[in-house]
Amino acid sequence: MNIPKIPLGEWIDSLVGWVTVTFSAFFSFLTSLIEGLLNIIIDVLSVGPPIVLICILGLLVTYTSRWPLGIFALISLLLIDNLGYWDSSIQTLAIVLLSGLLTITIGIPIGIWCAQRKTVQNIVTPILDFMQTMPAFVYLIPSILFFGIGIVPGIIASFIFAIAPTIRMTNLGIQEVPEDLIEAADAFGSSNSQKLFKVQLPLATPTIMAGINQSIMLALSMVVTASLVGAPGLGADVYRAVSQINVGQGFEAGLSIVFIAIILDRITQNLRKPAYEGILKRKIVFSILAVLVVVTAIVLVFLKDNTGNENANGIGAQTDYKIIGIEPGAGIMAQAKNSLTDYGLDDWKIVEGSSAAMVAELKKAIDNQKPIIVTGWSPHWMFQAFDLKYLDDPNNTFGGAEHINTIVRKGLEQDAPGAYTIFDQFSWNISDMEAVMVEVHKGMDPAEAAEKWVAANPDKVAEWTNGAQSGNGEPIKLVYVAWDTELASTNVIGTVLRQNGYDVTLSQVEVGPMFAGVANGSADAMVAAWLPSTHLEYYNTYKKDIVDLGPNLQGTKNGLVVPKYVEIDSIDDLK
Ligand code: PBE
């Protein structure tokens, strides 16, 4: 059959593109609103030393769920603080509380509406099914375009992912109210709203609370995903640990998430029937808590407004002192962090995320002619697509010109000598690599772009395969990180090996796993070691267990990059 592919992806692309432009004012309003709310929550939670909040939470858990659990909460929070995850935990808690708040304010009314109108329920139910089954990762993509990277797209994605149970359970709770009670209410002539607030909602509360509890747990389960687009907190700690293969840190951050989950779960589950209700009335406790929160928030907002912002027009204020980074494990991220110390940029933060999110953010800033600073490297198509410049790096923190090395596992030379020879002889230059990257950027499939380049450059390829015996379908597993450069190089070398009789697979991984995979022999090779400085730490960690075949490309560079219209020239100017 010859039915052409339905361009569903393209339609979605143009729809999202249209929405991004048309509603950009609305999105930036929403972004500042959510950021503002989040900052207030974070400020309130972190007022005073950690021990204050630890005690309050401990008491609250005791009150709702008896003293043994209160003691558990106290100890686990003290442990989180001791391990050094307190600030991350506050951020995570704030993200979850805000998503929870949004879920309640939007989910409960929708749930009520569903319960009252069959048509609404018929429309909303399939939408909820769709929202819950679509992998939550997918929401991150348009979220970045609408809200930029950072915490807001993470909150929005968590909210979309988490709202369904609140809506469903509110609907269910109200529908389950026994018919005779409704009839009785009708018989006494109650209005619709009286019926809702005096009969249906009170009776439905346990079910609604169960929905909210589930929503909050789902929001918490999104924190790691949200960190891919730059949301800070425990999720980012876990993501960083994965991308650097830091088992200990991963466990500590993961354990902190578990503790927070248990505490939130118990508080929300028992909110309606606290264990010590008999000793102290629920109303009193929650009123005290509410007054405490509101007063602190007001005082903090008031205090904040009075602090002078001397340098409101400087580049720092304009960019919110943020440098947009990429995957937390990338070498350039370590260099960027070092640059903060080397240049004394104490106020600045490096936002972790991904290369794709960084480019999306850069494009958005350029479309709006806003200042932005990103971690950048060449070769990269962004220098062709946009007018960019490197900031001077007088302290040489980013290490100057570098090369990319090919690294293979021990034993490959014996197991697949032909492939080994090809890896060893693989070498090309920046314009070759750029030719592939340009095609990929224009939308060609990387494998196809690689085949095209290989077909067009038989002489170069002949040098690499010179003297290499062909394979007999031996498997060769290449690992790479989804940077544009390595997408190009890995696909090209993969194509050449395939054409020489090897059964090649490419696996996309994070930086740490890429090195570790070659070192422990679960992968055969990588062509992506940026040396001498970018990946030095990984190189040193694994150098006993790998075979370094030397450079395949010379003349790469890392640094901080800004659009040309940004009026600074050196990292020194960020001070
Ligand atoms: N990069 C591109 C990588 C190496 C390739 C500069 C983003 C890094 O920083 O690890």
Side-chain angles (χ1 to χ4, degrees):
M1 268 207 304
N2 209 357
I3 302 174
K5 175 180 187 275
I6 301 171
L8 185 59
E10 279 95 72
W11 292 339
I12 297 289
D13 279 349
S14 30
L15 177 71
V16 168
W18 178 79
V19 173
T20 313
V21 177
T22 318
F23 297 102
S24 76
F26 171 68
F27 288 135
S28 38
F29 164 74
L30 218 57
T31 309
S32 10
L33 183 74
I34 293 181
E35 258 172 10
L37 282 174
L38 194 81
N39 285 336
I40 296 180
I41 299 183
I42 293 183
D43 288 346
V44 170
L45 289 179
S46 44
V47 77
I51 190 73
V52 177
L53 185 62
I54 294 180
C55 289
I56 293 181
L57 284 174
L59 285 174
L60 190 61
V61 175
T62 310
Y63 177 65
T64 55
S65 322
R66 319 189 68 83
W67 63 267
L69 214 73
I71 290 181
F72 169 82
L74 196 69
I75 293 177
S76 54
L77 291 171
L78 285 171
L79 183 63
I80 291 180
D81 187 29
N82 171 275
L83 295 175
Y85 291 87
W86 187 253
D87 290 336
S88 300
S89 301
I90 294 286
Q91 283 164 330
T92 297
L93 205 58
I95 295 176
V96 174
L97 287 180
L98 187 55
S99 316
L101 218 63
L102 288 175
T103 312
I104 295 171
T105 39
I106 299 178
I108 294 185
I110 297 183
I112 295 177
W113 200 21
C114 285
Q116 290 174 335
R117 297 265 144 85
K118 198 95 202 134
T119 355
V120 177
Q121 184 186 327
N122 288 344
I123 297 171
V124 170
T125 309
I127 298 181
L128 292 184
D129 292 339
F130 180 88
M131 282 175 22
Q132 275 189 301
T133 12
M134 181 64 109
F137 263 67
V138 177
Y139 302 130
L140 292 178
I141 316 171
S143 290
I144 301 174
L145 299 176
F146 299 160
F147 305 103
I149 76 172
I151 204 146
V152 180
I155 290 187
I156 300 279
S158 317
F159 160 76
I160 297 177
F161 185 65
I163 195 172
T166 298
I167 300 181
R168 283 193 217 276
M169 300 291 260
T170 305
N171 178 15
L172 181 75
I174 293 180
Q175 293 198 3
E176 270 179 346
V177 173
E179 203 49 43
D180 43 350
L181 290 182
I182 302 290
E183 274 163 21
D186 282 337
F188 283 107
S190 15
S191 69
N192 272 342
S193 67
Q194 278 173 333
K195 220 166 37 188
L196 180 66
F197 288 106
K198 300 237 148 91
V199 182
Q200 290 171 312
L201 282 183
L203 285 169
T205 313
T207 320
I208 297 178
M209 284 307 294
I212 293 176
N213 170 276
Q214 279 187 28
S215 288
I216 289 186
M217 291 297 119
L218 283 179
L220 188 61
S221 74
M222 274 288 286
V223 293
V224 177
T225 313
S227 72
L228 299 185
V229 292
L234 293 170
D237 295 334
V238 171
Y239 177 32
R240 198 173 317 121
V242 172
S243 89
Q244 299 170 342
I245 325 203
N246 194 334
V247 187
Q249 186 194 325
F251 184 78
E252 290 173 353
L255 192 68
S256 308
I257 295 183
V258 173
F259 288 150
I260 292 198
I262 296 176
I263 292 173
L264 283 177
D265 181 55
R266 288 310 126 95
I267 294 181
T268 48
Q269 251 181 36
N270 301 326
L271 216 49
R272 221 177 47 83
K273 276 211 175 79
Y276 297 132
E277 166 100 76
I279 304 174
L280 202 59
K281 278 266 163 287
R282 189 159 53 121
K283 284 215 175 93
I284 301 179
V285 173
F286 295 140
S287 308
I288 295 177
L289 214 60
V291 170
L292 220 61
V293 169
V294 172
V295 169
T296 325
I298 293 175
V299 170
L300 286 174
V301 170
F302 183 71
L303 279 183
K304 236 190 189 159
D305 275 346
N306 287 347
T307 55
N309 35 6
E310 328 84 45
N311 204 357
N313 296 321
I315 179 79
Q318 288 172 14
T319 54
D320 209 8
Y321 293 94
K322 279 185 194 145
I323 294 170
I324 308 300
I326 57 168
E327 291 82 2
I332 199 171
M333 292 296 278
Q335 295 173 328
K337 283 198 187 110
N338 291 342
S339 75
L340 298 189
T341 6
D342 288 0
Y343 291 88
L345 308 174
D346 305 331
D347 299 336
W348 289 78
K349 281 189 294 289
I350 317 272
V351 182
E352 296 174 338
S354 70
S355 307
M358 179 274 288
V359 174
E361 190 72 3
L362 180 65
K363 176 169 185 314
K364 201 170 138 219
I366 290 176
D367 287 346
N368 297 310
Q369 294 284 304
K370 290 253 173 61
I372 183 169
I373 306 167
V374 302
T375 55
W377 61 94
S378 17
H380 194 294
W381 55 264
M382 66 184 181
F383 289 94
Q384 274 87 50
F386 312 118
D387 264 335
L388 303 172
K389 63 182 179 193
Y390 277 101
L391 293 181
D392 290 339
D393 177 19
N395 294 352
N396 208 26
T397 308
F398 286 91
E402 292 199 297
H403 43 85
I404 307 181
N405 284 19
T406 302
I407 288 179
V408 300
R409 71 169 165 87
K410 286 201 162 152
L412 184 73
E413 188 173 11
Q414 293 76 46
D415 299 344
Y420 179 89
T421 309
I422 295 176
F423 281 123
D424 200 14
Q425 295 178 149
F426 170 49
S427 158
W428 59 344
N429 58 41
I430 293 211
S431 56
D432 296 324
M433 190 185 238
E434 271 171 354
V436 183
M437 287 197 287
V438 163
E439 298 288 359
V440 176
H441 175 53
K442 278 199 228 142
M444 192 183 275
D445 180 61
E448 204 179 311
E451 276 162 29
K452 186 173 159 194
W453 186 91
V454 168
N457 293 275
D459 299 349
K460 285 221 163 102
V461 175
E463 283 171 28
W464 307 343
T465 55
N466 184 21
Q469 70 193 63
S470 323
N472 279 320
E474 290 96 335
I476 295 288
K477 185 165 171 192
L478 283 159
V479 271
Y480 70 101
V481 183
W483 298 311
D484 299 78
T485 36
E486 332 315 300
L487 212 55
S489 55
T490 312
N491 272 285
V492 164
I493 193 74
T495 303
V496 172
L497 287 164
R498 211 168 273 136
Q499 290 177 353
N500 280 272
Y502 292 94
D503 177 15
V504 181
T505 39
L506 310 188
S507 307
Q508 183 193 319
V509 293
E510 291 290 330
V511 201
M514 172 170 77
F515 277 89
V518 177
N520 72 18
S522 56
D524 295 298
M526 56 183 265
V527 291
W530 288 48
L531 293 165
S533 52
T534 309
H535 294 149
L536 183 64
E537 258 188 57
Y538 293 110
Y539 187 81
N540 283 339
T541 308
Y542 296 107
K543 66 175 175 236
K544 313 186 298 306
D545 301 317
I546 55 182
V547 182
D548 180 3
L549 297 181
N552 59 55
L553 184 100
Q554 300 275 0
T556 66
K557 176 177 162 78
N558 294 346
L560 295 185
V561 170
V562 297
K564 282 215 175 109
Y565 57 74
V566 173
E567 281 166 1
I568 53 168
D569 295 307
S570 162
I571 305 182
D572 262 329
D573 300 339
L574 296 178
K575 250 183 264 165

